[in-house]
Amino acid sequence: MHITLAATTLADTWISFDTSSLIRDFWSLTTDGLTYGAIYALIAIGYTLVYGVLRLINFAHSEVFLVGMFAQYFILQALGFTPAADAYNEGVALTVVYLIVAMLIAMIASGATAVIIERVAYRPLRKRGAPPLVFLITAIGASLAIQQAFFVWRGQNPEPQIRLMTPVHVFNIFSAQIDNVQIMIVVSAVILMILADSFVNRTKFGRGIRAVAQDPTTARLMGVNPEKVIMTTFLVGGILAGAAALLYTIKIPQGIVFSGGFLLGIKAFAAAVLGGIGNLRGALLGGLLLGVSENWGQALFGGAWRDVVAFVLLIAVLMFRPSGILGESLGRARA
Amino acid sequence: MTVSQTSPQKPDKGLLDKLPSVGNPVRRWWEGLGKPVKLTITIAFLIFLVILPLLNPPGISTDSAGLQFSNVLAECARTGLIALGLNVVVGLAGLLDLGYVGFFAVGAYVVALLSSPDSELALRWSWLACVPIAMVVTALSGLLLGLPTLRLRGDYLAIVTLGFGEIVRLLADNIGPLKGQTGFARVAFPVVGTSDSRPFGFFSNANNAKPFTSGLAWYWLIIVLILLMLWAVSNLEHSRVGRAWIALREDEDAAEIMGVSTFKYKLWAFAIGAAIGGLSGALMAGQVQFVNNQKFDVVTSMLFLSAVVLGGQGNKLGVLLGAFLIVYIPSRFTVIAEWKFLIFGVALIVLMLFRPQGLIPARHRLLGADLPKDATIDYEPDEEVDGVPPTNREAL
């Protein structure tokens, strides 16, 4: 059945309510949504860690991700790839090696960016005990500055894509066709998230992070160096955003552009809030939920409404559960 | 909540105080003047502002950049109006709104829908009839955004308002009758002073007959509106509403405990701020006489925020100065037009590091208390202040 809602008696339909396509493609929409969701979750961890420790929304995190996107692009160019319509498909082993190299470079670039932002913009403010509003405006300034630096340098047209692999159908889940790109993204994202979770929950550094999140004063008295902990959180968040940047560029059809980080950043933040900000497992849950809801919404209302679904979901969740689905838990985790 | 709050921090005495502060010496000089002198200077400055486009002084004028000076000044003034509205929300009530451009868009679209022949409503209203409607609709949209979200804490609220601004933009992109990038042409404008040389009057953008061009007409109109707004907002500031805003900016919990109905006053701030934004959008629609979905993006919201923060949040003259600077400088030096937002981004960071209060900071003083200049408030109930026993303290 195909129902059309139109505010006027116009022939043109700008919003549909098409349940048939949602039902028909339900499984493929869901698996694809989970793929996007895994990427959102990786970025969301950066927001969540920093918020857990500093109670600060790191607005510039979307630009940390952007730096990762550009870094992997340039390293692939340096390795001799040129933008082309067709993918290179150099065989599994070589492709994986290239991708791992690009991912490492993106991780280093993003991690460094995050640490530099912390050093240059946030640390002096902390030393001065600035009010939260000042932090937020600084974060916006940092985000704007990095984004616009890329705009001045690379212009407003997206860079042509470098494709290392084409999606090849591997197997089916119910009626959904799973391709190698999706498998790669989900597997790498899950591995990275397990690593991040173990880092926070099972290492000495992680214990320091949780201690500072819970009570910075006492943590300092117990010999935890808060400055070091804060650096670590920015670094870990940045590294994961760099990894997400590589995975995202493989997934999306369009090229890389200076404004490409903004929307992803907002969505990843929405994912973090959805699951409960300050909570690593919440970031995963929120990311997957957001990715799937977006895809379902797109099928229901039409492609143009995808982002509206994300924003409306964000506002709705904040209205009813300001602390998210799983609640804030970084500070109250098991020691 | 910052981590390094273990010891009471001394305010940084370093670079911070070595930097020249524009506002303070000027303010000291200004406050030392007598009333008549102040009035004279104010009027002289106003007259200067009014005739500035007629003087068109070389060096200050933007004609060399190919932009008509009066149009640039009109845009400066319009942005000043926006900054005033945003200042109510950010500077007075302390609510960070990152989606303010949404209200601006709503105001422009209401005028376009009601007056343009391209609109499906086919009402063809006059501009003046649209303006109050635009303001009411934007105020309502402010309430609509505020009702569910104003219970949120500062930074969450910032994200939600950002989402709202984006939703408005995406609706303008997606909803068929709002015509996306095609937009609405021939939006209404006030028809005043038709003659042979000006077949559509002063306000039509077809009027390029110097010296009284359309830009000048709009500029003068907006100056009048800004004066009205200044008067209205300063009355608000000194009323119960303004005191409530400042209380919740300074400490929301304390204000709540003292019986200030914080939610109600936050809603007021949102609605009033939104209405001013809507007015500005209506002015934009009338002046450009074309509305489409471009220029309502997040970066524009950030630009408005930069104006408020740069000028000095909470200070009406400061935010007007900030708005003037962010519009005038890129228009005067078109070389940096591409670098505009990069410079704003860096400027925001530098400002927050060295002068978070802005160029002309707001004065922090007790509201409504007409104390002598050197009076101090003190909280020891059993002490005499200035020889007045505690029982007569209210008389102060």
Side-chain angles (χ1 to χ4, degrees):
Chain A
M1 64 170 206
H2 184 97
I3 310 166
T4 302
L5 304 172
T8 52
T9 52
L10 267 179
D12 70 324
T13 59
W14 40 268
I15 182 166
S16 56
F17 189 75
D18 185 0
T19 50
S20 63
S21 93
L22 177 62
I23 292 163
R24 191 183 58 239
D25 305 330
F26 180 81
W27 288 108
S28 67
L29 286 170
T30 307
T31 50
D32 203 47
L34 291 175
T35 314
Y36 275 108
I39 296 171
Y40 294 154
L42 272 184
I43 310 169
I45 289 177
Y47 282 104
T48 269
L49 281 175
V50 170
Y51 190 90
V53 170
L54 282 181
R55 296 281 173 275
L56 157 77
I57 296 175
N58 180 11
F59 241 99
H61 194 61
S62 54
E63 270 53 50
V64 169
F65 170 81
L66 180 75
V67 169
M69 281 170 98
F70 274 100
Q72 63 85 34
Y73 181 81
F74 291 133
I75 193 67
L76 287 178
Q77 270 194 326
L79 290 171
F81 292 97
T82 46
D86 303 322
Y88 279 83
N89 292 330
E90 303 217 4
V92 177
L94 254 182
T95 307
V96 167
V97 169
Y98 279 128
L99 284 175
I100 286 176
V101 169
M103 190 185 252
L104 285 175
I105 297 289
M107 283 170 153
I108 292 168
S110 289
T113 310
V115 170
I116 289 169
I117 291 171
E118 197 276 322
R119 270 290 168 99
V120 172
Y122 300 150
R123 183 172 294 187
L125 293 179
R126 274 208 313 280
K127 287 224 163 31
R128 205 167 296 154
L133 197 69
V134 170
F135 271 96
L136 201 56
I137 291 168
T138 308
I140 292 167
S143 159
L144 204 56
I146 296 173
Q147 182 197 95
Q148 294 297 317
F150 277 108
F151 167 68
V152 170
W153 179 33
R154 307 297 300 182
Q156 58 180 3
N157 296 324
E159 313 283 338
Q161 280 277 52
I162 297 177
R163 294 222 167 276
L164 290 194
M165 54 197 290
T166 32
V168 178
H169 172 224
V170 183
F171 60 86
N172 280 8
I173 296 183
F174 300 106
S175 61
Q177 302 203 336
I178 306 296
D179 57 49
N180 53 0
V181 171
Q182 286 175 315
I183 293 171
M184 197 194 77
I185 290 174
V186 171
V187 169
S188 354
V190 166
I191 290 173
L192 285 164
M193 260 178 280
I194 290 172
L195 285 176
D197 196 73
S198 317
F199 176 79
V200 172
N201 285 322
R202 302 196 191 283
T203 64
K204 212 168 112 182
F205 277 113
R207 189 180 297 170
I209 291 176
R210 281 177 291 135
V212 174
Q214 194 170 348
D215 186 346
T217 316
T218 312
R220 183 189 287 256
L221 292 173
M222 296 294 129
V224 180
N225 178 354
E227 290 300 327
K228 216 159 148 186
V229 163
I230 289 164
M231 281 271 288
T232 314
T233 55
F234 272 88
L235 185 66
V236 171
I239 286 173
L240 293 176
L246 177 90
L247 300 176
Y248 186 66
T249 43
I250 296 171
K251 178 79 190 143
I252 52 168
Q254 68 269 30
I256 304 161
V257 67
F258 76 100
S259 56
F262 165 76
L263 198 64
L264 254 279
I266 298 291
K267 283 182 182 173
F269 177 78
V273 170
L274 212 57
I277 194 154
N279 178 332
L280 262 77
R281 288 161 199 189
L284 174 61
L285 180 71
L288 297 180
L289 260 179
L290 186 74
V292 170
S293 331
E294 265 190 349
N295 260 10
W296 288 348
Q298 186 175 348
L300 263 183
F301 305 116
W305 295 91
R306 182 186 178 95
D307 300 340
V308 182
V309 170
F311 287 122
V312 170
L313 190 70
L314 169 68
I315 292 180
V317 167
L318 279 176
M319 266 166 58
F320 296 111
R321 270 197 78 94
S323 56
I325 298 168
L326 299 184
E328 305 180 13
S329 81
L330 191 65
R332 287 189 298 278
R334 305 155 315 284
Chain B
M1 212 328 295
T2 55
V3 171
S4 58
Q5 282 184 337
T6 46
S7 59
Q9 293 277 346
K10 287 198 295 289
D12 252 17
K13 290 261 190 228
L15 254 176
L16 188 63
D17 298 319
K18 288 191 188 114
L19 278 182
S21 83
V22 184
N24 297 344
V26 176
R27 168 169 296 153
R28 274 197 292 278
W29 166 79
W30 178 251
E31 287 183 346
L33 297 175
K35 258 230 162 88
V37 186
K38 274 188 191 174
L39 197 67
T40 319
I41 292 178
T42 309
I43 290 173
F45 184 64
L46 258 180
I47 290 171
F48 166 72
L49 280 184
V50 167
I51 60 170
L52 185 61
L54 295 175
L55 296 173
N56 207 355
I60 294 179
S61 165
T62 55
D63 288 0
S64 55
L67 295 162
Q68 210 183 72
F69 192 40
S70 56
N71 284 344
V72 171
L73 282 177
E75 198 189 337
C76 288
R78 214 170 52 216
T79 314
L81 203 56
I82 293 177
L84 274 182
L86 187 56
N87 183 45
V88 168
V89 181
V90 178
L92 290 179
L95 308 164
L96 193 58
D97 187 343
L98 301 181
Y100 198 68
V101 76
F103 299 132
F104 181 68
V106 169
Y109 268 104
V110 167
V111 173
L113 281 170
L114 291 175
S115 75
S116 165
D118 299 348
S119 140
E120 280 156 28
L121 297 172
L123 290 171
R124 309 291 306 269
W125 281 20
S126 71
W127 183 80
L128 201 54
C130 299
V131 172
I133 308 280
M135 288 179 75
V136 169
V137 171
T138 38
L140 286 176
S141 68
L143 288 180
L144 186 79
L145 166 67
L147 272 172
T149 58
L150 275 173
R151 305 199 184 278
L152 294 171
R153 278 211 6 236
D155 32 18
Y156 279 110
L157 184 71
I159 290 283
V160 168
T161 51
L162 186 87
F164 168 80
E166 279 294 280
I167 287 174
V168 169
R169 184 181 66 83
L170 290 163
L171 289 179
D173 284 349
N174 293 347
I175 293 181
L178 293 182
K179 295 221 180 290
Q181 205 168 336
T182 319
F184 299 87
R186 288 179 293 161
V187 174
F189 52 90
V191 180
V192 179
T194 48
S195 64
D196 291 344
S197 59
R198 299 188 179 84
F200 301 105
F202 285 107
F203 287 94
S204 158
N205 61 9
N207 163 26
N208 286 319
K210 288 194 170 174
F212 297 102
T213 57
S214 65
L216 185 72
W218 284 103
Y219 174 62
W220 283 354
L221 174 69
I222 298 168
I223 283 188
V224 172
L225 288 172
I226 284 182
L227 291 175
L228 279 173
M229 242 359 124
L230 282 175
W231 171 80
V233 172
S234 36
N235 273 321
L236 264 179
E237 269 180 56
H238 294 286
S239 70
R240 171 185 293 266
V241 181
R243 286 201 301 276
W245 284 341
I246 288 166
L248 61 94
R249 175 187 72 193
E250 295 302 327
D251 188 338
E252 198 175 320
D253 297 336
E256 184 78 58
I257 288 163
M258 288 302 177
V260 175
S261 145
T262 49
F263 183 67
K264 188 174 88 180
Y265 288 112
K266 282 187 196 174
L267 268 184
W268 269 114
F270 254 51
I272 290 167
I276 299 177
L279 170 65
S280 194
L283 287 163
M284 195 275 294
Q287 189 184 352
V288 182
Q289 283 145 55
F290 172 72
V291 175
N292 74 354
N293 64 1
Q294 304 298 301
K295 295 266 181 266
F296 297 136
D297 49 0
V298 175
V299 176
T300 313
S301 273
M302 302 297 175
L303 195 68
F304 296 158
L305 185 73
S306 317
V308 172
V309 173
L310 172 76
Q313 32 180 321
N315 183 321
K316 298 186 292 296
L317 293 178
V319 301
L320 287 175
L321 174 72
F324 172 79
L325 289 176
I326 60 158
V327 177
Y328 174 77
I329 291 174
S331 310
R332 171 69 182 81
F333 306 101
T334 40
V335 187
I336 64 154
E338 198 182 45
W339 295 68
K340 179 163 79 168
F341 289 113
L342 175 58
I343 292 167
F344 285 142
V346 175
L348 276 182
I349 301 175
V350 172
L351 255 177
M352 287 300 112
L353 286 178
F354 296 119
R355 198 171 167 77
Q357 67 275 46
L359 293 177
I360 312 181
R363 246 175 315 191
H364 286 286
R365 51 155 199 223
L366 279 170
L367 282 159
D370 286 327
L371 292 163
K373 270 224 167 85
D374 51 351
T376 53
I377 299 296
D378 100 11
Y379 301 101
E380 306 300 330
D382 49 2
E383 242 181 39
E384 290 194 351
V385 179
D386 297 339
V388 183
T391 43
N392 299 3
R393 192 61 55 78
E394 287 83 359
L396 275 177

